[in-house]
Amino acid sequence: MAPSFEQLDPETEYEDGDEEVDYSDLREQYEVRMEEGLDTFIVIDGLPKVPSGSKDKLVKFLLRKLTTVGKTKEENVYMPMNEAGDSTEGFAFVEYETPAQAAAAVKALHATPLDKKHTIAVNKLTDIERYGREGRIDETYKEPEIAPFEEKEHLRWWLGDPEGRDQFVMYRADNVGVYWNEKDDQPEPVVDRMNWTESFVQWSPKGTYLTSMHTQGVQLWGGQNWSRQKRFMHPGVNLVDYSPDERYITTWSHRPMQVDEGNPVLSLEEDGKNYIIWDVATTKPLRSFVTLDTPGPTQDPEGNPIKQKIQWPAFKWSADAKYVARMTQGQGISVYELPGMNLMDKHSIKIDGIMDFEWSPTNPQRDNIKEYEQLFCYWTPEMGSNPAKVGLMTVPTKEVVRTRNLFNVSDAKLHWQSESAFVCVKVDRHSKSKKSMATNLEIFRVREKGVPVEVVDNLLGTVINFAWEPKGDRFVLITAGEVPAGAAVPPKTAVSFFCPEKAKGTAVGNFKLIRTVDKKNNNAIHWSPNGRFAVVATVLSQQSFDLDFWDFDFEGEKDEKDKDLTANLQLVGTADHYGITDIEWDPSGRYVATSASVWKHRMENGYHLYTFAGQTLREEPLEQFKQWAWRPRPERLLSKEEMKNVRKNLREYSKQFEELDQAKKSSANKAVVEARRRQLEEWLAWRERVEAELLEERRELGLPDVSEERAALIVADEEGVEGSKVVEEIFEEILEESEEVLD
């Protein structure tokens, strides 16, 4: 019980309260803030002024828009009337259920047309209170200061290298380095930094930016000084993906983001989301999404959770980046239009049972189609009595231009040719008893009238890998037999090479088998980016690690059986790389880099470099080697006719390149000789200086200038002059010489 006033000791002196007590901490704690409780309200301006009798109709009409982004109702819309009470004032206050819904309404509805004559302005009530208070905004106009012009770095500077070299990035231990590739010498360092990234690095599709990953987000680097060009805040980011034109970027984190009020970059709309799609130029988020759950069981029979595989990229870009789409497995595809990220036609495309889809990699050029379109291919499984189906759909019309029914389908994979002339559907079929599997290829000829489909069957085993020739019409596939139960070693594979038959004019003939190589262990196919050459290899295997280099246009005599085919196939080289995990061609198609990453295993990590024909140029073991990636190049500026002319006169150009290579070697040898001569001159100068010091010491000690031992070594030359000679000799020694004959 608190003591009463009477219980206080009258003899005790107490403070009279003249000194003011500091209550600022309590005042701050209990101060009523305008923002609290008002963050669910928005203010809508720009509404038409209507008579009181039409107010209810306007509110109901407005609610149609308001309820598209959140939950509200008619009694939560307050529309003030004028003093006379006969007309609305042209604005309204609306309350949503949550602050996130209010933020979403501001982002989605601000500056949108209500009708032909009225465009509404939508703001948060807390913003109006924050910025609209008296004194918050200076009513005196002040002319904005224009910052002085600052020339920015040229982001594609590396393309001007006079030797036409390519760059690559290498990540080992904690260091990330960018290098110029050299054919005969060690790579030339461009930049090397420690702790440049926290997980991995990634080039943008055209090589403009180098992407580094961090706990708080993503950073883009570029220019000759490798300065930071852009950064995107995404806490816990795991993966990143670019649009083909580098204008947009997608970031993803497996954990939903937690965004607080007042975040300088992210809004409450991003709270709880996993994906963000950004505008690279402005570094502003365009829209955010949650990760969709994949249909299927979430636990195994023992009750343990099943780790679901994420489909990446989940958001797939059209060739011109005007659309980005995401599939909801089994239901349909949501296509969003850029740059607004609005859902096309305000609803998703319903495709029951859909399992996968892929955009055409270039703008399609279908027969007699002049209107703008983008094209994607999709497939659906068998459902009930309905067969499996493959379809081609155009965007934005959503017209299905071709379908094909399939039966006894277990799985399917979609493979577009790089110029969108073909799309191959690899169909895995089961027998009626479902005890055996077989594969056939359904090849859609997209540019031909009616989109005919060619079937390639009679394939032995199941196709485990398939790859089109870039900018060409040939392909390679790898088949494998069934794995016996309990087998410790995977079955042998077979590699098959296909090309079209010769046809009249520009037509493409039917696809025919060139050759099949049996009893292999290969599981990977890597084409040169310019076509013609392919590497067929075995990766991520402890038993085999071979590489075969194939030439589809070998300049030699053609077999009689291949006279009617558009290929002359030849194995031009073989190699081995123990522990190989990754293979990557350089953009020019001249070099192939293979690597063994510590992320996969810890045995003999490092990289090898080969020519397109399989000649080993460099083998470099590196501890804690993690990643190798060639820097991509943008599209060529040469026309098809100019490139054809280059190929026609390639021998003439080759002479120039050989002369440049020889000049570079000569300059390198000259530089070595000059360096040695400079070192000799430095040594002679040091010797002369030391001899002078010794001579001075001998004279101070009263000794003769030349000792008896040295005098015995001095001999007279032919003219009788005593002295010494310096003879410079350069020796060349051949350590090893070998000769290899290619069959």
Side-chain angles (χ1 to χ4, degrees):
M1 182 176 177
S4 63
F5 183 82
E6 289 78 6
Q7 293 174 314
L8 295 177
D9 187 355
E11 301 296 327
T12 305
E13 295 184 2
Y14 294 92
E15 295 181 357
D16 59 1
D18 291 341
E19 185 178 348
E20 186 177 353
V21 180
D22 184 9
Y23 293 106
S24 59
D25 55 338
L26 296 176
R27 187 180 297 111
E28 182 179 355
Q29 180 178 355
Y30 294 104
E31 182 182 11
V32 178
R33 295 180 175 87
M34 290 296 296
E35 288 81 359
E36 294 180 1
L38 298 179
D39 50 4
T40 59
F41 285 86
I42 63 172
V43 181
I44 304 176
D45 204 355
L47 297 173
K49 296 181 179 181
V50 299
S52 56
S54 302
K55 176 183 174 182
D56 292 341
K57 290 183 179 180
L58 179 58
V59 170
K60 291 178 180 178
F61 179 76
L62 187 61
L63 276 172
R64 296 178 190 175
K65 271 185 170 290
L66 299 175
T67 53
T68 60
V69 292
K71 293 184 178 181
T72 186
K73 46 191 175 180
E74 190 172 341
E75 50 264 35
N76 290 345
V77 179
Y78 173 66
M79 195 172 293
M81 305 293 290
N82 61 10
E83 293 182 359
D86 57 357
S87 175
T88 61
E89 289 280 20
F91 62 91
F93 300 91
V94 180
E95 182 181 9
Y96 279 97
E97 289 187 350
T98 64
Q101 292 178 7
V106 172
K107 189 168 185 178
L109 301 180
H110 180 66
T112 57
L114 184 68
D115 54 31
K116 292 182 179 180
K117 296 182 179 180
H118 299 85
T119 299
I120 57 176
V122 183
N123 293 281
K124 294 174 66 175
L125 180 59
T126 52
D127 287 345
I128 292 178
E129 179 64 28
R130 185 180 297 118
Y131 302 119
R133 284 183 184 176
E134 187 176 353
R136 290 290 180 93
I137 299 176
D138 190 354
E139 295 185 4
T140 304
Y141 173 75
K142 292 182 179 179
E143 188 173 346
E145 294 183 6
I146 300 177
F149 172 75
E150 292 183 6
E151 186 174 355
K152 295 185 177 180
E153 293 183 276
H154 187 12
L155 296 181
R156 293 186 176 177
W157 62 276
W158 87 98
L159 297 175
D161 180 56
E163 299 177 31
R165 296 174 297 176
D166 280 298
Q167 291 185 346
F168 63 86
V169 63
M170 188 163 52
Y171 183 17
R172 72 271 183 229
D174 294 327
N175 287 70
V176 175
V178 179
Y179 300 84
W180 288 111
N181 181 48
E182 296 285 356
K183 179 181 177 182
D184 301 314
D185 301 319
Q186 287 295 312
E188 179 185 331
V190 179
V191 62
D192 196 298
R193 294 177 183 173
M194 183 175 286
N195 300 320
W196 202 348
T197 185
E198 295 179 22
S199 54
F200 63 90
V201 290
Q202 179 177 328
W203 293 107
S204 59
K206 297 183 179 183
T208 307
Y209 304 109
L210 180 65
T211 312
S212 62
M213 309 294 292
H214 306 273
T215 304
Q216 292 301 318
V218 173
Q219 297 191 97
L220 274 53
W221 307 82
Q224 200 159 359
N225 295 321
W226 294 96
S227 57
R228 184 175 63 198
Q229 304 294 324
K230 310 284 182 182
R231 57 180 172 179
F232 305 92
M233 179 185 288
H234 187 149
V237 63
N238 299 109
L239 295 172
V240 63
D241 181 53
Y242 285 86
S243 65
D245 59 2
E246 299 182 341
R247 292 172 57 199
Y248 308 104
I249 189 173
T250 306
T251 55
W252 172 79
S253 58
H254 72 279
R255 292 181 179 176
M257 289 177 288
Q258 295 182 352
V259 181
D260 298 326
E261 180 77 28
N263 188 294
V265 178
L266 304 176
S267 66
L268 291 177
E269 187 180 349
E270 278 74 52
D271 188 50
K273 305 293 181 62
N274 304 87
Y275 295 90
I276 303 179
I277 296 181
W278 307 80
D279 186 314
V280 172
T282 64
T283 67
K284 301 294 183 183
L286 299 177
R287 192 160 179 172
S288 55
F289 301 86
V290 297
T291 299
L292 299 177
D293 294 330
T294 305
T298 57
Q299 293 182 338
D300 60 17
E302 299 179 358
N304 299 318
I306 298 176
K307 195 172 182 179
Q308 295 184 342
K309 291 185 177 180
I310 180 175
Q311 184 184 37
W312 186 259
F315 288 86
K316 299 180 180 181
W317 299 90
S318 64
D320 58 2
K322 288 186 177 180
Y323 302 99
V324 64
R326 176 167 72 160
M327 176 188 70
T328 303
Q329 188 172 325
Q331 299 180 29
I333 299 175
S334 301
V335 180
Y336 299 89
E337 299 175 284
L338 277 299
M341 281 302 295
N342 299 314
L343 185 63
M344 188 175 70
D345 296 339
K346 299 183 179 181
H347 62 270
S348 300
I349 303 172
K350 186 178 181 181
I351 306 175
D352 291 333
I354 184 170
M355 296 298 292
D356 195 12
F357 81 103
E358 293 290 345
W359 289 99
S360 59
T362 60
N363 293 334
Q365 300 175 14
R366 291 195 298 130
D367 185 60
N368 289 328
I369 302 298
K370 297 181 180 180
E371 295 80 11
Y372 168 81
E373 67 172 3
Q374 293 296 318
L375 199 65
F376 66 77
C377 182
Y378 65 91
W379 80 278
T380 60
E382 297 174 80
M383 295 182 292
S385 59
N386 296 322
K389 184 182 295 184
V390 175
L392 288 173
M393 181 179 290
T394 65
V395 172
T397 63
K398 302 181 184 178
E399 177 189 0
V400 178
V401 298
R402 187 69 163 90
T403 59
R404 185 168 177 83
N405 295 334
L406 306 170
F407 299 91
N408 301 327
V409 176
S410 295
D411 193 16
K413 291 289 185 293
L414 311 174
H415 300 274
W416 278 96
Q417 184 256 3
S418 63
E419 295 177 328
S420 304
F422 309 95
V423 58
C424 174
V425 183
K426 181 183 76 70
V427 184
D428 295 332
R429 301 177 185 270
H430 55 259
S431 62
K432 291 185 178 180
S433 62
K434 297 187 178 182
K435 292 183 179 180
S436 61
M437 296 284 292
T439 302
N440 71 282
L441 309 178
E442 308 275 341
I443 301 177
F444 291 70
R445 295 172 172 261
V446 178
R447 292 183 179 177
E448 298 181 20
K449 186 176 181 180
V451 192
V453 179
E454 181 179 346
V455 180
V456 177
D457 49 15
N458 298 323
L459 302 174
L460 300 176
T462 304
V463 175
I464 61 171
N465 205 336
F466 174 97
W468 282 106
E469 175 188 22
K471 304 173 185 176
D473 47 24
R474 299 170 290 198
F475 59 85
V476 183
L477 57 85
I478 301 175
T479 57
E482 295 185 16
V483 182
V489 180
K492 291 291 183 180
T493 60
V495 183
S496 298
F497 305 87
F498 287 80
C499 75
E501 293 179 307
K502 290 181 179 178
K504 294 181 180 180
T506 57
V508 178
N510 293 329
F511 293 98
K512 296 294 181 181
L513 175 67
I514 308 172
R515 188 188 309 173
T516 296
V517 182
D518 297 316
K519 298 180 181 179
K520 301 289 289 183
N521 295 304
N522 301 139
N523 54 16
I525 306 165
H526 293 269
W527 279 95
S528 162
N530 297 319
R532 178 173 173 175
F533 299 98
V535 175
V536 182
T538 307
V539 300
L540 298 170
S541 172
Q542 296 181 353
Q543 290 80 28
S544 182
F545 30 84
D546 55 313
L547 299 98
D548 296 333
F549 294 78
W550 294 89
D551 183 358
F552 274 70
D553 293 320
F554 183 69
E555 297 178 359
E557 189 176 351
K558 203 172 188 180
D559 291 343
E560 186 65 31
K561 63 182 179 62
D562 296 336
K563 293 291 185 182
D564 295 330
L565 300 180
T566 58
N568 186 19
L569 185 67
Q570 179 67 41
L571 178 65
V572 294
T574 59
D576 292 326
H577 184 172
Y578 179 75
I580 179 174
T581 59
D582 301 282
I583 301 173
E584 190 169 349
W585 284 84
D586 83 314
S588 71
R590 293 177 291 177
Y591 305 104
V592 183
T594 62
S595 56
S597 172
V598 73
W599 289 333
K600 307 292 178 62
H601 61 75
R602 295 183 176 274
M603 298 177 292
E604 298 187 22
N605 302 122
Y607 74 92
H608 292 185
L609 189 67
Y610 304 92
T611 66
F612 61 88
Q615 177 187 354
T616 304
L617 298 176
R618 190 160 59 248
E619 295 182 2
E620 188 168 354
L622 294 168
E623 291 187 8
Q624 293 294 309
F625 176 88
K626 298 176 181 177
Q627 187 182 3
W628 170 295
W630 291 101
R631 187 172 194 172
R633 287 176 173 262
E635 300 86 354
R636 292 190 180 96
L637 300 178
L638 296 177
S639 65
K640 289 186 177 181
E641 289 299 323
E642 288 172 324
M643 287 190 285
K644 187 177 180 181
N645 186 52
V646 170
R647 294 190 188 97
K648 184 179 179 181
N649 301 299
L650 189 57
R651 292 186 183 276
E652 295 298 323
Y653 289 112
S654 297
K655 292 179 181 178
Q656 299 177 23
F657 299 147
E658 290 169 1
E659 290 174 0
L660 290 173
D661 290 342
Q662 190 62 38
K664 186 175 181 180
K665 289 181 180 179
S666 300
S667 63
N669 293 337
K670 184 178 179 181
V672 171
V673 172
E674 290 293 335
R676 290 174 179 171
R677 188 163 287 152
R678 186 168 56 254
Q679 291 173 348
L680 178 60
E681 290 174 355
E682 291 174 357
W683 182 81
L684 290 174
W686 173 82
R687 179 178 172 177
E688 185 178 351
R689 186 173 67 254
V690 171
E691 286 180 344
E693 292 174 356
L694 289 174
L695 179 60
E696 185 178 350
E697 290 180 5
R698 292 183 67 85
R699 289 175 177 174
E700 289 178 356
L701 296 173
L703 298 174
D705 291 353
V706 180
S707 66
E708 295 180 1
E709 293 83 359
R710 183 165 178 79
L713 297 175
I714 299 176
V715 296
D717 60 12
E718 296 177 355
E719 298 179 358
V721 179
E722 294 184 350
S724 60
K725 289 184 178 180
V726 177
V727 179
E728 180 180 347
E729 294 183 0
I730 297 176
F731 295 92
E732 290 187 2
E733 182 180 358
I734 299 176
L735 300 178
E736 183 180 356
E737 186 173 353
S738 62
E739 184 176 342
E740 184 177 355
V741 179
L742 298 177
D743 296 333

